Amino acid sequence: MRGFFITFEGGEGAGKSTQIRRLQEHLQQQGHRVVVTREPGGSPGAEAVRHVLLSGAAEPFGPEMEAVLFAAARLDHVQQVIRPALEEGAVVLCDRFIDSTRAYQGTTKGLSKSFLAALERAAVGDTMPDLTVILDIDPEIGLQRASARRGEGSVDRFEKDTLAVHQKRRKAFLDIAKAEPERCVVIDASRSADAVAAYVLEAVQKAMQKRWHLAEEGGKGPGPRKHRKQKRHADV
């Protein structure tokens, strides 16, 4: 009766929050229980760490310390929010997860893939996303969007990085999608919000239907039985 775990990834200004909200509304209309959360943060303990990370307070201690703090926040988030919601059959929508660490900390000089992989295993265990939506956008456009959204507010720890660094992160997300095509789908986020939402919904419906088909063959459902019946007859 495990729920369905969807993560949204992408660079600054890709529109993750907008698309998560729109998907949440659609899924709720279909009768699903939906839990929306974010990283860093999502649980009381992780939210406390979020301020330290995004304010840049941890930056002077080096990239290893930042990565450890991200992992500690993720562990609390998974244990307190994500895993319990999935066990109750909910659809969990998370704004950033493991792939942000891979793309952001993974492009930081001095951090090895083995070090980050060990932190990832310790933080998430087997609680991996069923689907990861990567909203891809040119960093220049994304940063302009982020600046317009922020207004006069201060930039966070990661927005202030150079364009070259943001471009490396974009490539890292695309490389992740190529390496894990069964889990990841890349969507052009430069389109209108309506167009992006349509592509997101198509990807989610396809992934859910595949999962439900396999689950029914194995006798295990991803959520309440009524949800499977509703979605099986839903328009794709």
Side-chain angles (χ1 to χ4, degrees), residues 119-190:
L119 289 178
E120 182 178 301
R121 289 193 300 271
V124 307
D126 61 355
T127 307
M128 291 291 289
D130 296 292
L131 173 68
T132 295
V133 177
I134 297 176
L135 298 178
D136 178 50
I137 193 167
D138 184 303
E140 282 193 88
I141 298 174
L143 289 170
Q144 289 171 3
R145 286 184 178 181
S147 177
R149 177 196 64 210
R150 183 178 62 249
E152 297 299 321
S154 59
V155 297
D156 67 27
R157 158 73 179 85
F158 300 103
E159 283 183 71
K160 70 179 184 179
D161 287 327
T162 66
L163 181 60
V165 171
H166 287 286
Q167 289 170 335
K168 287 182 180 179
R169 290 169 183 161
R170 181 192 189 187
K171 182 180 184 301
F173 279 124
L174 295 176
D175 287 343
I176 290 168
K178 289 179 182 178
E180 300 185 52
E182 289 297 310
R183 173 174 69 88
C184 301
V185 60
V186 178
I187 295 174
D188 182 355
S190 67

Side-chain angles (χ1 to χ4, degrees), residues 19-32:
Q19 295 305 322
I20 288 172
R21 183 176 66 254
R22 295 180 70 149
L23 180 59
Q24 175 191 15
E25 292 171 355
H26 179 86
L27 292 174
Q28 288 175 333
Q29 289 171 2
Q30 295 296 310
H32 291 279

